[in-house]
Amino acid sequence: MKKISGIIAAPFTPFNQDHQVDYERIEMFAQLLKRNQADGAFICGTTGESSSLSHQEKIRIFESWSNHRHAGLQLIAMLGGTCLEEMKELAVVAANLGLDGISILAPYYLKPNLDQLIEVCAQVAASAPDLPFFYYHIPSLTGAYFSMRVFLEKAEAQIPNLAGIKYTHSDLMDFSLCKMHRDGYYSMLWGSDEILLSGLVAGADGAVGSTYNYALPLYQEIIKNFNLGNIPEAAALQKLSMKMVDLLMKHGGNRAGKGFMKIIGVDCGPCRLPLTSLTNEQISQLEADLHEINFPEFCSKF
Amino acid sequence: MKKISGIIAAPFTPFNQDHQVDYERIEMFAQLLKRNQADGAFICGTTGESSSLSHQEKIRIFESWSNHRHAGLQLIAMLGGTCLEEMKELAVVAANLGLDGISILAPYYLKPNLDQLIEVCAQVAASAPDLPFFYYHIPSLTGAYFSMRVFLEKAEAQIPNLAGIKYTHSDLMDFSLCKMHRDGYYSMLWGSDEILLSGLVAGADGAVGSTYNYALPLYQEIIKNFNLGNIPEAAALQKLSMKMVDLLMKHGGNRAGKGFMKIIGVDCGPCRLPLTSLTNEQISQLEADLHEINFPEFCSKF
Amino acid sequence: MKKISGIIAAPFTPFNQDHQVDYERIEMFAQLLKRNQADGAFICGTTGESSSLSHQEKIRIFESWSNHRHAGLQLIAMLGGTCLEEMKELAVVAANLGLDGISILAPYYLKPNLDQLIEVCAQVAASAPDLPFFYYHIPSLTGAYFSMRVFLEKAEAQIPNLAGIKYTHSDLMDFSLCKMHRDGYYSMLWGSDEILLSGLVAGADGAVGSTYNYALPLYQEIIKNFNLGNIPEAAALQKLSMKMVDLLMKHGGNRAGKGFMKIIGVDCGPCRLPLTSLTNEQISQLEADLHEINFPEFCSKF
Amino acid sequence: MKKISGIIAAPFTPFNQDHQVDYERIEMFAQLLKRNQADGAFICGTTGESSSLSHQEKIRIFESWSNHRHAGLQLIAMLGGTCLEEMKELAVVAANLGLDGISILAPYYLKPNLDQLIEVCAQVAASAPDLPFFYYHIPSLTGAYFSMRVFLEKAEAQIPNLAGIKYTHSDLMDFSLCKMHRDGYYSMLWGSDEILLSGLVAGADGAVGSTYNYALPLYQEIIKNFNLGNIPEAAALQKLSMKMVDLLMKHGGNRAGKGFMKIIGVDCGPCRLPLTSLTNEQISQLEADLHEINFPEFCSKF
């Protein structure tokens, strides 16, 4: 099974001022990722406000990305979701579009036990048996605090196309044990941009995150330095990443990311509720704060 | 605004063996509630596996209940959900069908703060302005651990059709303070069947729950005794309810409820994942256990 | 084994302005409980800031209460704590003083599993084998979220003097199942004053709490009405209790209780850190707020 | 203020078969740390079962370590606890013994807010004003989930001898922001042995942990390679650390550490409740498992 690695952006879903999906803008987003040489895109993830999208909207978003993809951009479709029937349909859509992978998270209303979770994954993965399947581990949002190492041990017999985990949790030992399992067989994708370097020393194959949309050059530099063994340089850049994320948190967290997108010139519009959007004034303040830490030189270029 | 009160069943969604919704069975379910004189039905709630249903399925389920309703059965449609656009559409459906109320729970993936939650509620409620709107408070599943008293204080200015709360949480003081707010203006619907009596002394107007599907006579007897001031009798019956719920927990919790439905003769089929279903053997064991505590005399009759 | 029942106050520990225990004031406190006909006192509990006391101070406090007790006041000594050796010593002290019962909570730093917890309880209980032993269940502070029904089932073989549970948690079904276990053998003491009535209908034998120090007449009236079957009257009084507790929460929670003590004329001084004390101004405001809800007529008299 | 850095072991408290402190063994323990060139010892920490020790026992343990210390071994005394009066006394003891630092954790029964926590720290630190004061951040056990960066910002004005944080939590960004605060002024001691390398790239000055007692050579090798920029070698050794910790978890967690001590020849006896001890058979199994991963070559030598 083809490995997925590198820096994978988790795109925002562009909305117009009526909070309807602005499919046109997806092309612009794909160009941004191309110019900045992202290795992939994780479509309709948490950053993409997946849970705020309807089933039909997700299908059209997958189609749009498929239409505007370029060579070298690996596209993973995030299908979850709490409704298994819908996830299975979306898996078929992704396969028909020839995307590079699919992913789901644990159903997050009725909470599964580990066996039930694996059965859910198995049914979705079986709906697109030729696509790599990634489990999206983000227990702070799903409540599914399972050991991923145990997940792999139990799931692999039932999911032939199990390819790896998008790991958005702080248990670095569990993460490493997953990487060590079957001698590195699984693609382990690290989901905490602000501590990417800690993930890299723990064995990450790649990374998926929202700040890779607008600050790709910074992380490419971190990885380059890491690969050369220049740890002090990598650590200094990582600290800059933390300062930037700290500013985002101060300005509203995930929803502030769309403000950042506007600053770099790829306006993705407002957020849908339950997220609220930054005002123009708040975006200006964020921009000023970013200048103060000399961040703009590391922003994605558009 | 019309008050909603009494015992409101939270119906199961019937599935066939392929896990597709069995709309025919909804008529059977409505007859069950009629024969046992339920005061209402809370459609597509947690018991109805709402989060496992597609948008279109929810619409058809609301239509089916509307087609088979009888006089005296108050129908509340549970619309949530994490996608605001879908919830607003469902509110319009409910209004067009002439149902008696709508309800949503807090979006449970991206977690709102209280102001964001109220804004979500306000937009859904405004989509069906003539229907009573009930907030469904179930923080153990949504993570929305807000004080409901504060919710009412802040929300009422923005939601003219705010009618009450379906309260599935253990904070009886908060529940009572809601009831005391504006001298009892809001319909406070208690969501913990097994401790209904404790809810009644705290001021419940009515109750919504899953065991009212198959054990209505028991709870009607509890309420009758409570209203007569026969507390020892009411408490003794409540203890029987606990014994029964304890058996259900032992046999698998919510998913065991569909086993109970089969026992009383209204087979609702299997559960959808992430819930798994009881085997026939397990259902037989549950039935035997219920006989041992002499429960069948209090079962709903079909 | 003698049953413990009725309304049991959980006294504050009086400190002087240097935050040293003011042993003289304990006599005053004992007189307060006598005049207001409390059925017992739960010494060095959460309200008594147990965890902020040294081992030697606890011993002297037990002695003081023993010296000033009166007929009819059942004295339960709370011994926990995280250090088993100290708890065992305190159990011997309580036995030598002829107190009426002992109690511990789950060690709250290193968290025990259920078997380990029972072993801790067994060793402490065995140090005072002739005294009734009460487990103090307060999982919000200890993290020990075990089913108490299962605790009783497993512990009773190892703890001959197991007498009951002081239950400060919201799981009323678990509470009732404990009461039903062995046909009501165990004394179940309800720990949530503001919803006492819900505890009474669930089978409480008695109640232990901090507001019984300064508002005993209110709760005696609630119980009287409950026993007579006058539920509406009991519920109305309970609502007054909630309003009062709501004011306390608004004014700082547990630490506000010492302000209330000063208002009724039994000044217990400041709190020890990590609790901070109300200012005189805050106490005046609390007093004014209590007048506004006509609470003073239900205050304990001194 | 003198910086504290390097690898600091968190010693076990030796008990005899009657579960009484075996003060003689502390000398043996100090020799172990000397032979293996530990940089320090964190006395009466979580590993030392602090919460299971009496006040007098802690004093005698501090004295014993003071008597048996050697040049180059920095001794930090962990004083917490929930009783401020006792912590202040212990601070004076530590100062009189000429130890190198003191530390407390957040009171863990009555939970402080951040201001209250800082006031507790300030009072203890002021009792030994010439000793470096370390806050021990371990929210999984104390419940004190505060941002440590904000703690530093607010606390430094009130605690002149604030020297750093023993950080046992997974928030690497918060950890790094603490290190960045005041340009690296504070000693940041990493508390998760199994992911030491991730802590090092995040800026750790040193590390405190239980596995440094019995596996010091492994971690010294990790740090050596890290400092040389040999990240692949460091990462490979860190993976071995994880395998070892994984075995410990499998064999009972913290309590398994005393089994490990016996294996390397420094028998520290049983644990006190609520911890239970490994049987000899379990220790043999642990030893066999350690051989299987070729771990013994990295064990501390005695």
Side-chain angles (χ1 to χ4, degrees):
Chain A
M1 181 149 295
K2 202 186 77 172
K3 279 238 165 178
I4 288 203
S5 63
I7 304 188
I8 297 161
F12 295 87
T13 296
F15 295 118
N16 63 24
Q17 291 308 312
D18 294 330
H19 299 88
Q20 300 307 306
V21 181
D22 187 346
Y23 297 98
E24 307 290 311
R25 297 256 162 172
I26 290 175
E27 182 175 3
M28 186 188 286
F29 216 120
Q31 287 170 358
L32 172 76
L33 297 186
K34 184 177 184 184
R35 286 180 199 165
N36 291 274
Q37 299 179 286
D39 298 301
F42 188 81
I43 311 302
C44 292
T46 304
T47 301
E49 297 175 67
S50 174
S51 60
S52 301
L53 300 170
S54 75
H55 185 61
Q56 293 305 321
E57 288 171 335
K58 289 182 196 176
I59 292 174
R60 286 195 57 194
I61 292 170
F62 294 153
E63 292 170 346
S64 294
W65 274 97
S66 177
N67 291 339
H68 300 302
R69 70 185 306 184
H70 56 272
L73 189 77
Q74 305 163 95
L75 290 181
I76 305 177
M78 212 297 278
L79 317 174
T82 62
C83 173
L84 177 59
E85 299 299 311
E86 290 184 338
M87 290 187 253
K88 286 156 71 174
E89 277 181 43
L90 292 175
V92 174
V93 168
N96 290 341
L97 292 171
L99 304 188
D100 300 292
I102 54 173
S103 182
I104 68 166
L105 25 70
Y108 40 85
Y109 185 70
L110 299 173
K111 310 295 189 292
N113 62 28
L114 181 54
D115 287 337
Q116 291 166 333
L117 172 59
I118 290 171
E119 181 62 21
V120 168
C121 291
Q123 292 203 17
V124 176
S127 303
D130 297 327
L131 289 189
F133 175 86
F134 292 87
Y135 176 64
Y136 181 3
H137 184 49
I138 185 166
S140 65
L141 290 182
T142 62
Y145 283 91
F146 301 112
S147 155
M148 284 298 98
R149 188 248 309 239
V150 175
F151 172 87
L152 289 180
E153 289 172 356
K154 295 186 86 164
E156 57 197 358
Q158 295 177 56
I159 310 177
N161 49 335
L162 182 59
I165 298 175
K166 164 166 166 35
Y167 198 103
T168 304
H169 184 44
S170 59
D171 189 344
L172 277 156
M173 174 164 150
D174 182 45
F175 181 81
S176 275
L177 289 173
C178 288
K179 188 63 221 168
M180 291 154 74
H181 184 68
R182 290 179 67 187
D183 287 323
Y185 175 81
Y186 293 106
S187 295
M188 294 301 298
L189 305 175
W190 183 244
S192 302
D193 317 8
E194 66 281 7
I195 53 170
L196 172 59
L197 187 56
S198 292
L200 290 172
V201 300
D205 294 288
V208 180
S210 62
T211 74
Y212 307 140
N213 290 309
Y214 42 75
L216 249 177
L218 174 66
Y219 297 100
Q220 287 161 334
E221 204 65 19
I222 289 173
I223 290 179
K224 199 183 80 184
N225 277 286
F226 171 75
N227 287 335
L228 294 170
N230 298 336
I231 300 303
E233 291 80 356
L237 292 165
Q238 189 67 66
K239 283 179 179 173
L240 189 59
S241 150
M242 290 183 201
K243 281 186 188 172
M244 179 267 288
V245 170
D246 195 40
L247 287 178
L248 283 173
M249 290 300 118
K250 181 181 139 195
H251 287 287
N254 195 46
R255 65 198 193 85
K258 279 200 172 172
F260 208 139
M261 290 306 294
K262 194 173 177 189
I263 291 169
I264 67 161
V266 185
D267 190 349
C268 292
C271 298
R272 274 189 178 170
L273 283 168
L275 298 184
T276 43
S277 305
L278 265 56
T279 61
N280 285 332
E281 193 174 37
Q282 289 171 318
I283 294 174
S284 298
Q285 187 56 53
L286 171 61
E287 190 167 10
D289 286 354
L290 289 168
H291 272 280
E292 206 165 303
I293 62 168
N294 295 314
F295 198 82
E297 65 168 302
F298 293 104
C299 286
S300 302
K301 307 295 181 272
F302 186 70
Chain B
M1 181 147 294
K2 204 185 78 172
K3 280 237 165 179
I4 289 202
S5 62
I7 304 187
I8 297 162
F12 295 88
T13 296
F15 295 119
N16 65 23
Q17 290 310 311
D18 294 330
H19 299 88
Q20 300 307 306
V21 181
D22 188 346
Y23 298 97
E24 308 289 313
R25 296 257 163 173
I26 290 175
E27 181 175 5
M28 187 188 286
F29 215 119
Q31 288 170 357
L32 172 76
L33 297 187
K34 183 177 184 184
R35 285 180 200 166
N36 291 274
Q37 299 179 284
D39 298 301
F42 188 80
I43 311 303
C44 291
T46 304
T47 301
E49 296 174 69
S50 174
S51 60
S52 301
L53 299 170
S54 76
H55 186 61
Q56 293 305 320
E57 288 170 337
K58 289 182 197 177
I59 293 173
R60 285 195 58 195
I61 292 170
F62 295 153
E63 291 170 346
S64 293
W65 275 97
S66 177
N67 291 339
H68 300 302
R69 68 186 307 186
H70 55 274
L73 190 77
Q74 304 164 94
L75 289 182
I76 304 177
M78 211 298 277
L79 316 175
T82 62
C83 174
L84 177 59
E85 300 300 311
E86 290 184 339
M87 289 187 252
K88 285 156 71 173
E89 277 181 43
L90 292 176
V92 174
V93 169
N96 289 342
L97 291 171
L99 304 188
D100 300 292
I102 55 173
S103 182
I104 69 166
L105 24 71
Y108 39 87
Y109 185 69
L110 299 174
K111 309 296 188 290
N113 61 29
L114 181 54
D115 286 336
Q116 291 166 333
L117 173 59
I118 290 172
E119 180 62 21
V120 169
C121 290
Q123 292 204 17
V124 176
S127 302
D130 297 327
L131 289 189
F133 176 84
F134 292 85
Y135 177 64
Y136 180 5
H137 184 49
I138 184 166
S140 64
L141 291 180
T142 63
Y145 283 91
F146 301 111
S147 155
M148 283 299 99
R149 189 250 308 240
V150 175
F151 172 87
L152 290 180
E153 288 171 358
K154 295 186 86 165
E156 56 196 1
Q158 294 177 56
I159 311 176
N161 50 334
L162 181 59
I165 298 174
K166 164 164 164 37
Y167 199 102
T168 305
H169 184 44
S170 59
D171 189 343
L172 277 156
M173 174 163 149
D174 182 45
F175 180 81
S176 275
L177 289 172
C178 287
K179 189 62 221 169
M180 291 154 74
H181 184 68
R182 290 179 68 185
D183 288 323
Y185 176 81
Y186 292 107
S187 295
M188 293 301 298
L189 304 175
W190 184 245
S192 302
D193 317 8
E194 67 281 7
I195 52 169
L196 171 59
L197 187 57
S198 291
L200 290 172
V201 298
D205 295 289
V208 180
S210 63
T211 73
Y212 307 140
N213 289 309
Y214 40 77
L216 250 177
L218 174 64
Y219 298 100
Q220 287 162 333
E221 204 64 20
I222 289 174
I223 289 179
K224 198 183 79 184
N225 277 286
F226 170 75
N227 288 335
L228 294 170
N230 297 335
I231 300 302
E233 290 79 357
L237 292 165
Q238 189 67 66
K239 283 180 180 172
L240 189 60
S241 151
M242 290 182 200
K243 281 186 187 171
M244 180 267 288
V245 170
D246 194 42
L247 287 179
L248 283 173
M249 291 300 118
K250 183 180 137 195
H251 287 288
N254 196 45
R255 65 197 192 86
K258 279 199 172 173
F260 207 137
M261 290 306 295
K262 194 172 177 190
I263 292 170
I264 67 161
V266 184
D267 190 349
C268 292
C271 297
R272 274 189 178 169
L273 282 167
L275 298 184
T276 43
S277 305
L278 266 55
T279 61
N280 285 333
E281 195 173 35
Q282 289 171 317
I283 294 173
S284 298
Q285 187 56 53
L286 171 61
E287 189 168 11
D289 287 353
L290 289 168
H291 272 280
E292 207 165 302
I293 61 167
N294 295 314
F295 197 83
E297 64 169 304
F298 293 103
C299 287
S300 302
K301 308 295 181 271
F302 187 72
Chain C
M1 181 149 295
K2 203 185 76 171
K3 281 239 165 176
I4 287 203
S5 62
I7 304 187
I8 296 163
F12 295 88
T13 296
F15 294 119
N16 63 25
Q17 291 309 311
D18 294 330
H19 299 88
Q20 300 307 306
V21 180
D22 188 345
Y23 297 98
E24 307 289 311
R25 297 256 162 172
I26 290 176
E27 182 175 3
M28 188 188 284
F29 215 121
Q31 287 169 0
L32 173 76
L33 298 187
K34 184 176 183 183
R35 286 181 199 165
N36 290 275
Q37 298 178 287
D39 297 302
F42 189 79
I43 311 301
C44 292
T46 303
T47 301
E49 296 175 69
S50 175
S51 61
S52 301
L53 300 170
S54 76
H55 186 60
Q56 293 306 321
E57 288 171 336
K58 290 182 195 176
I59 292 174
R60 285 195 57 193
I61 293 170
F62 294 154
E63 291 168 348
S64 294
W65 275 97
S66 177
N67 290 338
H68 300 303
R69 69 186 305 185
H70 56 272
L73 189 77
Q74 304 163 96
L75 290 181
I76 304 177
M78 211 297 277
L79 316 175
T82 61
C83 173
L84 177 59
E85 299 299 311
E86 290 185 339
M87 290 187 253
K88 286 156 71 174
E89 277 180 44
L90 291 176
V92 173
V93 168
N96 289 341
L97 291 171
L99 303 187
D100 300 293
I102 55 173
S103 183
I104 68 167
L105 24 71
Y108 40 85
Y109 185 70
L110 300 173
K111 309 295 189 293
N113 62 30
L114 182 54
D115 287 337
Q116 291 167 333
L117 172 59
I118 290 171
E119 181 62 21
V120 168
C121 291
Q123 291 204 17
V124 176
S127 301
D130 297 328
L131 289 189
F133 175 86
F134 292 85
Y135 177 65
Y136 180 5
H137 184 49
I138 184 165
S140 65
L141 291 180
T142 62
Y145 283 91
F146 301 111
S147 155
M148 284 298 99
R149 189 249 308 243
V150 175
F151 172 86
L152 290 179
E153 288 171 357
K154 294 186 88 165
E156 57 196 359
Q158 295 177 56
I159 309 177
N161 50 334
L162 182 59
I165 298 174
K166 164 165 166 35
Y167 198 102
T168 305
H169 184 45
S170 58
D171 189 342
L172 277 155
M173 174 162 149
D174 182 45
F175 181 81
S176 276
L177 289 173
C178 287
K179 188 63 220 168
M180 290 154 75
H181 184 68
R182 291 179 67 187
D183 288 323
Y185 175 82
Y186 292 107
S187 295
M188 294 302 297
L189 304 175
W190 184 245
S192 302
D193 316 9
E194 67 281 7
I195 53 169
L196 172 59
L197 187 56
S198 291
L200 290 172
V201 299
D205 295 288
V208 180
S210 62
T211 73
Y212 307 141
N213 290 309
Y214 41 75
L216 249 177
L218 175 65
Y219 297 100
Q220 286 161 334
E221 204 65 19
I222 289 173
I223 290 180
K224 199 183 80 184
N225 276 287
F226 171 74
N227 288 336
L228 293 171
N230 297 336
I231 300 304
E233 290 80 356
L237 292 165
Q238 189 68 65
K239 283 179 180 174
L240 188 59
S241 150
M242 290 182 199
K243 282 186 186 171
M244 180 266 289
V245 169
D246 194 40
L247 286 179
L248 283 173
M249 291 298 117
K250 182 181 138 194
H251 287 287
N254 195 43
R255 65 199 192 84
K258 279 200 171 172
F260 208 138
M261 290 306 295
K262 195 172 176 189
I263 291 170
I264 66 161
V266 185
D267 190 349
C268 293
C271 297
R272 274 189 178 169
L273 283 168
L275 298 184
T276 42
S277 304
L278 266 56
T279 61
N280 284 332
E281 195 173 35
Q282 289 171 317
I283 294 173
S284 297
Q285 187 56 53
L286 171 61
E287 190 168 9
D289 286 354
L290 289 169
H291 273 280
E292 208 165 302
I293 62 167
N294 295 315
F295 197 83
E297 66 169 302
F298 293 104
C299 287
S300 302
K301 307 297 181 270
F302 186 70
Chain D
M1 181 148 293
K2 206 187 74 173
K3 280 239 164 177
I4 288 202
S5 62
I7 304 187
I8 296 163
F12 295 88
T13 296
F15 295 118
N16 64 24
Q17 291 309 312
D18 293 331
H19 299 88
Q20 300 306 307
V21 180
D22 188 345
Y23 297 98
E24 307 288 313
R25 297 256 162 174
I26 290 176
E27 182 176 2
M28 187 187 286
F29 215 119
Q31 287 170 357
L32 172 76
L33 297 187
K34 185 177 183 184
R35 285 180 201 166
N36 291 276
Q37 299 179 284
D39 297 301
F42 188 79
I43 312 301
C44 291
T46 304
T47 302
E49 295 174 69
S50 175
S51 61
S52 301
L53 298 171
S54 76
H55 186 60
Q56 293 305 321
E57 288 171 337
K58 289 182 197 177
I59 292 173
R60 285 196 58 194
I61 292 171
F62 294 154
E63 291 169 346
S64 294
W65 274 96
S66 177
N67 290 339
H68 300 303
R69 68 186 305 183
H70 57 273
L73 189 77
Q74 304 162 96
L75 289 182
I76 304 177
M78 212 297 277
L79 316 175
T82 61
C83 174
L84 177 60
E85 301 298 313
E86 290 184 339
M87 289 187 252
K88 285 156 72 173
E89 277 180 41
L90 292 175
V92 173
V93 168
N96 289 341
L97 291 171
L99 303 188
D100 300 292
I102 54 173
S103 182
I104 68 167
L105 24 71
Y108 39 86
Y109 185 70
L110 299 173
K111 310 295 190 291
N113 61 30
L114 182 53
D115 287 337
Q116 292 167 332
L117 173 59
I118 290 172
E119 181 62 21
V120 168
C121 290
Q123 292 204 16
V124 176
S127 302
D130 297 327
L131 289 188
F133 176 85
F134 292 85
Y135 177 64
Y136 181 3
H137 184 49
I138 184 165
S140 65
L141 291 181
T142 63
Y145 283 92
F146 301 111
S147 154
M148 283 299 98
R149 189 251 306 245
V150 175
F151 172 87
L152 289 180
E153 288 171 356
K154 296 186 85 166
E156 56 196 0
Q158 295 177 55
I159 310 177
N161 50 334
L162 181 59
I165 299 175
K166 165 166 165 35
Y167 199 103
T168 305
H169 184 45
S170 58
D171 189 344
L172 276 155
M173 173 163 150
D174 182 45
F175 181 80
S176 276
L177 289 173
C178 288
K179 188 64 221 167
M180 291 155 75
H181 184 68
R182 290 179 65 188
D183 286 323
Y185 175 81
Y186 292 107
S187 295
M188 293 302 298
L189 305 176
W190 183 245
S192 302
D193 316 8
E194 67 281 6
I195 53 170
L196 172 59
L197 188 56
S198 291
L200 289 172
V201 299
D205 296 287
V208 180
S210 63
T211 74
Y212 307 141
N213 290 310
Y214 42 76
L216 250 176
L218 175 64
Y219 297 100
Q220 287 161 334
E221 204 65 21
I222 289 173
I223 289 179
K224 200 183 78 183
N225 277 286
F226 171 74
N227 287 335
L228 293 170
N230 297 337
I231 299 304
E233 291 78 356
L237 292 165
Q238 189 67 65
K239 283 180 179 172
L240 189 59
S241 150
M242 290 183 200
K243 281 186 186 170
M244 180 266 289
V245 170
D246 194 41
L247 287 179
L248 283 173
M249 290 300 118
K250 181 180 139 196
H251 286 289
N254 195 45
R255 64 198 194 84
K258 279 200 172 172
F260 207 137
M261 290 305 295
K262 194 173 176 189
I263 291 169
I264 67 161
V266 184
D267 190 348
C268 293
C271 297
R272 274 189 178 170
L273 282 168
L275 298 184
T276 42
S277 305
L278 297 195
T279 62
N280 285 332
E281 194 173 35
Q282 289 172 317
I283 294 173
S284 298
Q285 187 55 53
L286 171 60
E287 191 169 9
D289 286 354
L290 289 168
H291 273 280
E292 207 164 302
I293 62 168
N294 295 315
F295 198 82
E297 64 169 304
F298 293 104
C299 287
S300 302
K301 307 296 181 271
F302 187 69

